[in-house]
């Protein structure tokens, strides 16, 4: 167990705003996550742990499969402490079994997004040194794994048979009606290096004990930073992962315990879902209800069938719910808490969602390098609007001037920096990036914001998205928030572009709501009394769809490239 470092209470104004019963200096549990989940399984072996498309896995069965898989990894593939194993899996029961199995065997999980290109996957897998990959026989995913074998990046594959994740009737129907969607492994030129997941489970090998030092041994090597260059592998120790689970658990004040049910529509390979949708609930004996991807109809059916009450989400998903005419409060009746993360939550989306559901909508904030959660709004009562809440127990934050690096006062904007037991060791084999990520022992987030007198944290924007207009700082988020209040605007994303007169100028991209019309002049007229002249977009460009990242964040990278190409500028 860890005890947070001592600092004067005056330097932590947020403590006075903590909900009753939650203590900042509570002890943080750093036991390895696989030990915690196996302990939870032993307490309630007959309880439901996983629900996938109506097919369920008990905690007892989950423990047996984790243990058997860990044993097979050790005996068949020689996995030991420090061995990196790549997981390229969507949300299915296979993911938690593989994840905890790798950790129980002593290995390090390297998460791979199945929607990445082969080029992106090749960088992550080759950089990590993982020559064993666990994946699925769905053709669109398996083909990428096979190309990695062809390139020599991956030496061995463990393949999960997708129909095995389904309840019996759906399995039979899928095996007949969707056969063309499955890879034929017996035809693969690499079939000699392919092992079926279920064959490994059937071996029922007992793993040998592995002594883990939670504070030194790496549990997850999570790649991040792909929007600004090649992704870097953040080294998250067992203690980092467990500490953030413990912090979220304490902040939830019982929310993540039975009879709660947590919906996992966000992908487990993303750090937010890995921690909040999987690790925290399962280690507390709470069922996880999985969807392989977001579809509104399927999500509503899931609410009706399971009566789930906790929904970790991202703003685009919440917006889809809020703006759908066919979604009623009755369909969302079981929902008690929705947690928004991954990107800034527009106030317009918050307000629209509140008209659909009385559930608490809590915005949180984190980053991969912090395992990931740093701040969160209260989960049992309403918090200040537009705030990302308060620092979690055991977490210290500060804001520093982005030019001088000196701490700023209450209400003054600066770069948010973090210190706590959830902060990574550094980046894998990248000393310079690791050095650049810290300042005097504090993790630099690259986000700009401030703290108010009550300790609530408000973010303004990313440093790298800051637009310097005639020497003035212009934050895209300010412009985006103003545009989102217009009734015709469904989504917007603002970037900075080179400008001969001002150095840089803001350009706004806008997607209009169905059936709505607006022109550049209309929106600029609307913004005239909401923005100053420096903040006013130089141009407003309308698009049918705005590019997003694979977890639903609006992406500026593609817009910058598109604008540069359109204007014939050098990228």
């Amino acid at each position: 167990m860890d005890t947070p470092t001592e600092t004067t209470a005056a330097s932590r104004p947020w403590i006075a705003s903590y909900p009753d019963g939650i203590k900042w200096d509570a002890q943080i549990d750093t036991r390895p996550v696989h030990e915690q989940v196996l302990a939870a399984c032993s307490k309630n072996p007959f309880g439901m742990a996983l629900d996938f498309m109506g097919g369920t896995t008990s905690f007892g069965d989950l423990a047996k499969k984790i243990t058997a898989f860990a044993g097979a990894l050790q005996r068949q593939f020689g996995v030991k402490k420090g061995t990196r194993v790549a997981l390229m899996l969507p949300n299915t029961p296979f993911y938690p079994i593989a994840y905890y199995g790798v950790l129980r065997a002593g290995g390090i999980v390297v998460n791979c997004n199945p929607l990445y290109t082969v080029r992106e996957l090749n960088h992550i897998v080759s950089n990590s040194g993982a020559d064993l990959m666990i994946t699925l026989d769905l053709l669109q995913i398996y083909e990428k794994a096979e190309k990695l074998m062809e390139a020599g990046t991956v030496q061995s594959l463990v393949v999960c048979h997708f129909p095995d994740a389904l309840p019996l009737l759906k399995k039979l129907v899928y095996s007949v009606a969707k056969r063309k969607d499955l890879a034929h492994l017996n035809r693969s030129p690499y079939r000699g290096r392919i092992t079926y997941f279920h064959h490994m489970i059937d071996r029922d090998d007992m793993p040998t004990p592995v002594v883990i030092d939670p504070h030194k041994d790496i549990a997850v090597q999570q790649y991040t930073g792909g929007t600004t260059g090649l992704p870097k592998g953040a080294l998250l120790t067992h203690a980092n992962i467990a500490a953030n689970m413990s912090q979220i658990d304490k902040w939830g004040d019982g929310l993540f315990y039975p009879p709660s049910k947590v919906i996992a529509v966000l992908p487990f390979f993303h750090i937010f879902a890995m921690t909040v949708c999987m690790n925290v609930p399962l280690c507390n004996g709470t069922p996880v209800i999985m969807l392989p991807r977001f579809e509104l109809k399927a999500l509503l059916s899931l609410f009706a069938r399971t009566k789930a009450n906790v929904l970790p989400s991202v703003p685009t998903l919440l917006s889809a719910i809020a703006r759908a005419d066919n979604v009623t409060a009755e369909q969302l009746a079981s929902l008690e808490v929705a947690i928004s993360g991954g990107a800034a939550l527009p106030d317009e989306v918050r307000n629209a969602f509140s008209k659909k559901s009385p559930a608490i909508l809590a915005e949180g904030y984190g980053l991969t390098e912090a395992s990931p959660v740093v701040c969160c709004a209260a989960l049992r009562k309403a918090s200040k609007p537009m705030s990302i809440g308060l620092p979690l127990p055991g977490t210290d934050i500060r804001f520093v001037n982005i030019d001088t690096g000196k701490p700023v006062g209450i209400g003054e904007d600066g770069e948010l920096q973090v210190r706590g037991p959830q902060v990574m060791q550094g980046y894998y084999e990248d000393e310079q990036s690791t050095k650049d990520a810290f300042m005097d022992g504090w993790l630099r987030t690259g986000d700009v914001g401030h703290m108010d007198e009550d300790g609530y944290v408000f973010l303004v924007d990313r440093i790298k998205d800051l637009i310097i207009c005639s020497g003035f700082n212009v934050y895209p988020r300010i412009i985006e928030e103003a545009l989102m209040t217009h009734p015709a605007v469904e989504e917007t994303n603002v970037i900075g572009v080179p400008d001969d007169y001002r150095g840089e100028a803001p350009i706004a991209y806008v997607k209009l709501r169905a059936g709505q019309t607006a022109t550049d002049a209309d929106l600029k007229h609307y913004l005239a009394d909401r923005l100053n002249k420096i903040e006013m977009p130089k141009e407003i460009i309308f698009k049918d769809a705005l590019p997003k990242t694979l977890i639903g964040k609006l992406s500026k990278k593609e817009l910058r490239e598109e604008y540069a190409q359109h204007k014939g500028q050098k990228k």
Side-chain angles (χ1 to χ4, degrees), residues 14 26 32 93 112 153 157 183 185 198 202 228 245 260 330 333 390 470 488 505 551 561:
W14 56 84
C112 296
T153 308
L157 284 181
L185 303 190
H198 63 269
D202 291 344
T228 55
M245 288 168 47
S260 284
E330 183 180 1
L390 306 165
S470 301
I551 66 158
E561 292 172 349

Side-chain angles (χ1 to χ4, degrees), residues 342-373:
L345 178 65
D347 198 38
E348 188 275 337
V349 173
R350 184 191 300 274
N351 293 334
F353 186 84
S354 70
K355 295 174 183 177
K356 294 283 187 179
S357 170
I360 289 173
L361 177 51
E363 184 173 6
Y365 165 81
L367 62 165
T368 298
E369 292 86 347
S371 307
V373 186

Side-chain angles (χ1 to χ4, degrees), residues 23 152 188 212 220 248 258 338 479 498 538:
K23 296 182 178 181
S188 170
I212 297 293
V220 177
I248 295 164
I479 304 170
K538 176 182 179 181

Side-chain angles (χ1 to χ4, degrees), residues 180-432:
K180 66 180 185 304
D181 294 339
L182 297 174
H184 297 283
L185 303 190
N186 59 333
R187 300 177 190 171
S188 170
Y190 309 103
R191 56 185 176 273
R193 291 191 275 151
I194 295 173
T195 302
Y196 270 112
F197 179 88
H198 63 269
H199 288 163
M200 294 177 66
I201 300 295
D202 291 344
R203 285 171 56 108
D204 203 23
D205 287 327
M206 276 300 296
T208 56
V210 180
V211 178
I212 297 293
D213 182 335
H215 299 277
K216 293 181 179 179
D217 293 331
I218 306 302
V220 177
Q221 187 165 312
Q222 188 79 10
Y223 279 78
T224 183
T227 58
T228 55
L230 289 174
K232 303 179 290 291
L235 297 173
L236 304 176
T237 66
H238 287 268
N240 292 152
I241 299 291
N244 203 229
M245 288 168 47
S246 183
Q247 293 166 316
I248 295 164
D249 179 46
K250 295 180 191 312
W251 192 246
D253 194 23
L255 178 65
F256 294 99
Y257 287 80
S260 284
K261 295 177 182 177
V262 177
I263 294 175
V265 62
L266 302 181
F268 291 142
F269 53 74
H270 188 270
I271 189 75
F272 177 37
M274 184 192 82
T275 300
V276 180
C277 298
M278 185 180 75
N279 283 340
V280 174
L282 288 180
C283 287
N284 288 330
T286 298
V288 172
I289 317 295
M290 293 176 282
L291 277 176
R293 61 184 178 278
F294 172 63
E295 291 178 350
L296 185 56
K297 183 178 178 181
L299 180 61
L300 295 175
S301 296
L302 187 149
F303 274 120
R305 179 174 64 82
T306 68
K307 309 302 181 189
N309 64 316
V310 182
L311 176 65
S313 186
V314 290
T316 48
L317 192 157
L318 295 168
S319 179
I321 294 173
R323 290 179 170 147
D325 294 333
N326 61 332
V327 176
T328 65
E330 183 180 1
Q331 290 172 304
L332 302 174
S334 67
L335 181 62
E336 295 178 16
V337 180
I339 305 168
S340 180
L345 178 65
D347 198 38
E348 188 275 337
V349 173
R350 184 191 300 274
N351 293 334
F353 186 84
S354 70
K355 295 174 183 177
K356 294 283 187 179
S357 170
I360 289 173
L361 177 51
E363 184 173 6
Y365 165 81
L367 62 165
T368 298
E369 292 86 347
S371 307
V373 186
V374 171
C375 296
C376 192
L379 299 178
R380 295 297 199 178
K381 66 176 186 178
S383 286
K384 288 190 178 184
M386 304 302 292
S387 168
I388 58 170
L390 306 165
L392 292 186
T395 302
D396 274 314
I397 68 167
R398 68 178 186 179
F399 289 92
V400 304
N401 184 286
I402 58 177
D403 294 318
T404 67
K406 295 181 179 179
V408 300
I410 294 294
E412 294 183 62
D413 283 339
E415 181 189 17
L416 171 60
Q417 299 186 349
V418 183
R419 189 170 61 187
Q422 72 269 52
V423 173
M424 68 169 183
Q425 275 194 352
Y427 296 115
Y428 180 61
E429 294 188 344
D430 194 336
E431 290 184 14
Q432 187 59 50

